[in-house]
């Protein structure tokens, strides 16, 4: 072989360079072996200080954590025009805070029949005006913001949004809650979106069932257990359970 002819010295790789803390490697080894595991708990009443991201198997629990966490989607995208329009607002906020796109931005553009992504740049002032309404206008600002969203979509899309209703304005209310948070929220993602990514510190929102699965040991044959394994092994330094 070429390496042999050049007399390069070979060294066996016996340790992963991924883990920066032995406790995180120990957790990953235990999970792979199906051994019981528990996570240290972070009660984030004062905000999830010290974590870079919060993960959950589903989107809804992330929104239930409160203003300290800004999920990058409302739910698995269903294709509704109102959801798509709210996703444009969510994307604007996420870009400003994290420099990250909303997870279903492309789906939202497709649902609104917008093929030119440059439209996003063109409507930034409009989206900022809507964001300002949400931030400063209280509950009345949510309705006013939704009306502005309707007007914006009418200007850039052949789609039309339905009249204000709590089922449509509720997404803007969720965004408004995050805008009212005095600090910098952390992004929220599902384990599916987090697969393959890494952070130094990861918070996880566990359900009672998730916690029981960890306590009794994960099985490679369970899809839910595999998702939990992904969530618990995204951190280089530490993984914690985040409580409301």
């Amino acid at each position: 072989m070429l390496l042999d002819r050049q007399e390069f010295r070979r060294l066996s790789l016996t340790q992963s360079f991924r883990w920066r803390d032995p406790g995180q490697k120990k957790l990953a080894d235990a999970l792979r072996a199906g051994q019981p595991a528990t996570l240290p708990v972070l009660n984030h009443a004062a905000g999830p200080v010290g974590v870079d991201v919060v993960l959950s198997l589903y989107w809804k629990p992330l929104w239930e954590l409160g203003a300290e966490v800004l999920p990058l989607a409302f739910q698995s995208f269903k294709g509704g025009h109102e959801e798509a329009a709210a996703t444009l607002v969510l994307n604007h906020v996420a870009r400003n805070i994290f420099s990250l796109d909303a997870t279903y931005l492309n789906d939202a553009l497709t649902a609104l029949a917008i093929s030119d992504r440059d439209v996003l740049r063109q409507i930034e002032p409009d989206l900022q005006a809507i964001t300002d309404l949400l931030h400063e206008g209280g509950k009345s600002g949510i309705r006013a913001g939704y009306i502005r969203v309707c007007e914006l979509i009418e200007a850039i899309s052949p789609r039309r949004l339905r009249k204000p209703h709590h089922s449509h304005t509720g997404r803007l209310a969720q965004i408004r809650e995050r805008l009212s948070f005095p600090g910098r929220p952390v992004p929220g993602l599902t384990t599916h979106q987090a697969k393959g990514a890494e952070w130094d510190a990861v918070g996880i929102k566990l359900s009672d069932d998730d916690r029981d699965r960890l306590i009794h040991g994960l099985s490679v044959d369970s899809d839910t257990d595999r998702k939990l394994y992904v969530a618990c092994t995204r951190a280089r330094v530490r993984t914690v359970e985040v409580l409301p």
Side-chain angles (χ1 to χ4, degrees):
M1 294 178 62
L2 179 60
L3 291 179
D4 294 329
R5 292 199 299 270
Q6 296 298 322
E7 298 183 351
F8 284 105
R9 182 184 178 191
R10 295 189 180 193
L11 296 175
S12 298
L13 181 61
T14 59
Q15 182 176 351
S16 170
F17 290 99
R18 179 179 173 190
W19 314 120
R20 296 182 184 173
D21 183 271
Q24 190 61 33
K25 181 182 183 301
K26 183 178 179 181
L27 172 63
D29 290 342
L31 294 173
R32 280 197 300 270
Q35 298 173 358
T38 57
L39 302 179
V41 175
L42 173 66
N43 189 322
H44 81 163
V49 179
V51 299
D52 303 308
V53 67
V54 177
L55 306 179
S56 175
L57 269 62
Y58 305 101
W59 292 107
K60 184 178 179 181
L62 294 171
W63 288 102
E64 293 172 347
L65 282 172
E68 301 89 350
V69 177
L70 176 63
L72 297 186
F74 298 105
Q75 59 185 6
S76 295
F77 192 73
K78 306 297 184 184
H81 300 157
E82 291 77 20
E83 179 188 359
T87 297
L88 298 189
V89 181
L90 176 62
N91 181 72
H92 179 75
V93 175
R95 291 291 305 172
N96 284 340
I97 298 177
F98 308 129
S99 297
L100 296 173
D101 285 342
T103 299
Y104 298 112
L105 174 62
N106 289 335
D107 299 272
L109 293 172
T110 299
L112 295 171
I114 298 173
S115 58
D116 184 3
R117 284 183 64 96
D118 193 52
V119 167
L120 293 173
R121 180 186 58 80
Q122 297 170 11
I123 64 174
E124 280 184 2
D126 302 279
L127 292 171
Q128 186 57 49
I130 292 167
T131 301
D132 291 341
L133 273 175
L134 296 177
H135 187 212
E136 301 168 2
K139 290 185 178 180
S140 62
I142 296 172
R143 180 182 175 86
Y146 182 78
I147 292 173
R148 288 288 297 271
V149 170
C150 292
E151 294 170 349
L152 175 60
I153 297 304
E154 185 173 352
I156 63 174
S157 166
R159 310 302 187 211
R160 297 295 176 264
L161 305 188
R162 287 172 283 188
K163 294 181 180 180
H165 184 272
H166 67 84
S167 60
H168 310 319
T169 61
R171 299 181 185 93
L172 297 187
Q174 289 176 310
I175 294 175
R176 179 188 176 277
E177 183 182 8
R178 273 68 191 173
L179 293 172
S180 67
F181 182 59
R184 183 181 186 272
V186 297
L189 292 169
T190 65
T191 53
H192 180 72
Q193 276 69 40
K195 192 171 184 179
E198 297 178 8
W199 296 269
D200 283 344
V202 173
I204 303 178
K205 177 64 173 71
L206 297 174
S207 67
D208 291 341
D209 179 65
D210 297 337
R211 203 174 296 108
D212 287 343
R213 287 173 180 272
L214 288 173
I215 290 173
H216 290 95
L218 301 183
S219 168
V220 69
D221 297 323
S222 166
D223 181 61
T224 299
D225 286 7
R226 291 194 296 270
K227 290 178 180 178
L228 282 172
Y229 174 81
V230 169
C232 292
T233 57
R234 296 307 91 200
R236 304 182 190 96
V237 178
R238 67 171 183 146
T239 303
V240 298
E241 178 182 357
V242 176
L243 298 179

